[in-house]
Amino acid sequence: MDFFYQLNLAAFVLVNGSMVYRQYRQDKRAEFSEKIQDSDAENDTADEGRSTSKSSTVASASSAKQFTNIFFPVYVLVWGADWLQGPFIYVLYKDEKKLPEEIVARLFTTGFLAGAVSALFVGSLADRFGRKNACLAYCAITSLSCLSVLSNNISVLFAGRALGGLGTTLMYTVFEAWMVTEYNQRGLERTRLKLSSIFGRMITLSSVVAVLAGLVGQVFVSWTKTNCAPFVASICCLAPASFIIASKWSENYGDSGSNPKEKKDSLKLLLGVDKQVLTLGLTSCCFEGSMYLFIFFWSPALKSSHLLAHQHSALPFGIIFASFMGAMMLGSMLFTKILTDKRWMTCRELLQTVVVLASGSLLFTIFFRSEWITFWLFCLFELCVGMYFPAMGYQKGKVVGDGERAHIYGLLRIPFNIFVVVALSLTKEGDAYRETIFMTCSGLLLVVGAVVGVFLHD
């Protein structure tokens, strides 16, 4: 069976590598075309207006390059630290520390509950005291969470999960809030660096890092004979990320420079009057909630299918996780191809399609118990995840203003954290409960697909 998973991973690497190369060639052609246009403008010195425009274009391009050089390395390190933990946290608690399923569920629930509570205030604190400072706080808090797994004391483990929940809320709010605000303040919308392409590149990079993290984490576990090793490696990623943030990033705040109209719009969003924000909140709750439940249940689901096939060997979780991330990377590149390059559909239409596909992928795992089919359906779900996050990020970037960005991003995470907490608090052993969860998530995602089609504007 290991060969089956290795073959699928190799296929994802091949397809993704081909698409990355094609995108690289396309970007080079566009860059060459832009240089020719700039050269023509430079030669036309008689037109003073064009010369001024040329200087402005060069300055904007330089600012765009500087922006990507300081943001993406941090993004890669932060997500690398997160992905190193992902494949091993359930196995660490359940198999290595021999904790009962109910205790493991409570540990996960503690993390999501901490995330829900912290979402009430971390965004507003980041807007007030600075998103850069909040990003540094994330690195420190997540490092402490990783250190907690070295202990077998149950209280320490619960405290670590609480810190992990707080860190996750920070990771999903303040980094993106800093990036979008910095992008707007630098006026980068005038350059070739479009916001939608940044979100697409973020998920592509995240997927590449996730694949490498899964493989590297598996190697560390094999060397050290403990699932704690990837958590220590995460701390080694967060240290250089903190250094770059502290030394290279500028600070930005909420409400700075906001005019009265922007503040009124932010208040309207916070009061929940804006139907588009409510739609984004519902979509985030159901899709991301389903995704996190999937994270909790995918390994026992595959183990169950593995046993049904009378296979008793250990599953290669690192390779399986790397394959999932390969599928997510493919989804992010399809997002860029569909929305930015070909423009086959609008972002709203793509988001709606992704939600419906994700619904089907979870539903069919109930009816097809084959290990191969279950794995491929899970890969389809991850492909949807790869398209969902850049689509959702782009929609939030358009709807939410810079003044309250981190605060509203944090508030949008409250419903989905509560959703996951309720589901995990009812966790039981066996396939029946897991199938109920997948069926419920599938139904909710169908409802979300309809709501997105009605209330979200292009």
Side-chain angles (χ1 to χ4, degrees):
M1 247 353 248
D2 283 5
F3 177 72
F4 166 77
Y5 291 114
Q6 292 167 1
L7 186 63
N8 277 274
L9 176 59
F12 279 121
V13 170
L14 184 63
V15 172
N16 285 329
S18 174
M19 292 191 68
V20 167
Y21 178 72
R22 292 181 63 182
Q23 186 65 46
Y24 171 79
R25 291 290 300 273
Q26 182 177 325
D27 289 345
K28 281 296 182 183
R29 285 196 296 268
E31 184 179 339
F32 180 72
S33 176
E34 188 178 69
K35 285 182 179 179
I36 292 176
Q37 293 175 2
D38 290 344
S39 178
D40 291 342
E42 192 175 47
N43 291 334
D44 193 358
T45 54
D47 191 335
E48 184 179 348
R50 284 193 181 184
S51 297
T52 304
S53 176
K54 162 68 178 173
S55 300
S56 176
T57 301
V58 171
S60 297
S62 176
S63 180
K65 185 175 181 180
Q66 182 189 41
F67 171 75
T68 56
N69 286 343
I70 63 173
F71 174 70
F72 283 119
V74 170
Y75 182 83
V76 165
L77 289 167
V78 165
W79 279 91
D82 187 66
W83 287 127
L84 276 167
Q85 305 167 51
F88 305 100
I89 187 166
Y90 177 88
V91 179
L92 172 67
Y93 289 145
K94 181 73 167 124
D95 297 338
E96 184 168 326
K97 296 187 181 293
K98 306 299 182 183
L99 297 175
E101 187 83 12
E102 291 80 4
I103 297 297
V104 175
R106 288 174 189 170
L107 283 165
F108 275 80
T109 300
T110 298
F112 287 111
L113 189 59
V117 173
S118 61
L120 292 168
F121 59 85
V122 294
S124 58
L125 289 178
D127 287 334
R128 181 178 179 183
F129 295 105
R131 284 84 178 254
K132 171 184 173 179
N133 288 330
C135 292
L136 289 170
Y138 161 80
C139 294
I141 289 168
T142 302
S143 295
L144 290 174
S145 175
C146 291
L147 285 174
S148 71
V149 304
L150 300 177
S151 172
N152 289 321
N153 184 292
I154 194 67
S155 298
V156 174
L157 294 177
F158 272 100
R161 288 316 308 149
L163 289 173
L166 171 59
T168 299
T169 297
L170 284 166
M171 183 178 72
Y172 276 95
T173 54
V174 295
F175 287 94
E176 188 175 314
W178 182 90
M179 183 275 291
V180 176
T181 301
E182 187 73 10
Y183 176 91
N184 291 332
Q185 288 179 351
R186 289 174 179 250
L188 299 182
E189 67 276 359
R190 298 190 300 269
T191 69
R192 288 182 59 246
L193 185 65
K194 302 305 178 186
L195 195 58
S196 60
S197 68
I198 291 177
F199 281 114
R201 194 184 306 178
M202 284 165 61
I203 303 302
T204 300
L205 286 172
S206 174
S207 304
V208 172
V209 171
V211 172
L212 295 175
L215 297 175
V216 170
Q218 189 76 53
V219 171
F220 284 167
V221 170
S222 299
W223 282 351
T224 61
K225 308 301 180 185
T226 174
N227 288 291
C228 294
F231 293 83
V232 176
S234 295
I235 300 174
C236 297
C237 291
L238 293 170
S242 300
F243 175 77
I244 297 173
I245 293 169
S247 59
K248 301 294 184 181
W249 284 22
S250 60
E251 187 62 275
N252 62 49
Y253 301 88
D255 288 330
S256 58
S258 295
N259 59 40
K261 182 180 184 301
E262 287 175 331
K263 291 183 178 180
K264 182 179 178 181
D265 289 343
S266 295
L267 180 60
K268 179 182 177 182
L269 292 172
L270 288 172
L271 292 175
V273 177
D274 193 295
K275 291 181 180 178
Q276 293 201 85
V277 173
L278 289 177
T279 300
L280 292 176
L282 177 64
T283 305
S284 173
C285 171
C286 295
F287 191 96
E288 295 176 35
S290 298
M291 183 192 72
Y292 273 88
L293 289 174
F294 170 81
I295 291 171
F296 184 81
F297 287 114
W298 73 260
S299 54
L302 276 178
K303 285 172 70 175
S304 177
S305 297
H306 194 62
L307 290 173
L308 281 175
H310 305 291
Q311 300 285 334
H312 299 284
S313 58
L315 285 169
F317 287 109
I319 293 175
I320 293 171
F321 180 77
S323 298
F324 287 166
M325 297 305 100
M328 190 172 77
M329 178 181 176
L330 180 59
S332 68
M333 288 190 290
L334 286 175
F335 166 84
T336 303
K337 183 68 66 177
I338 292 170
L339 195 66
T340 306
D341 296 343
K342 301 297 184 182
R343 299 184 181 179
W344 287 329
M345 60 177 70
T346 65
C347 190
R348 177 190 62 80
E349 292 169 340
L350 180 60
L351 183 61
Q352 186 179 23
T353 302
V354 164
V355 168
V356 173
L357 275 177
S359 170
S361 67
L362 292 179
L363 181 63
F364 284 117
T365 60
I366 300 171
F367 303 107
F368 299 97
R369 301 301 303 278
S370 164
E371 183 179 349
W372 293 14
I373 296 177
T374 300
F375 170 77
W376 285 328
L377 287 170
F378 285 169
C379 286
L380 175 59
F381 182 81
E382 288 288 354
L383 184 141
C384 292
V385 171
M387 289 191 284
Y388 164 83
F389 275 107
M392 174 60 80
Y394 180 69
Q395 289 288 351
K396 289 192 295 185
K398 290 197 311 179
V399 172
V400 181
D402 288 340
E404 295 281 356
R405 188 173 298 281
H407 185 37
I408 293 176
Y409 282 13
L411 293 178
L412 288 175
R413 294 186 60 80
I414 295 176
F416 110 82
N417 274 296
I418 295 174
F419 171 72
V420 176
V421 165
V422 172
L424 291 180
S425 65
L426 302 173
T427 295
K428 301 175 184 177
E429 295 274 5
D431 295 338
Y433 180 76
R434 184 170 58 251
E435 291 175 358
T436 301
I437 288 291
F438 283 168
M439 185 176 292
T440 302
C441 290
S442 176
L444 289 173
L445 289 173
L446 280 178
V447 172
V448 167
V451 172
V452 167
V454 173
F455 294 108
L456 201 60
H457 304 153
D458 290 320

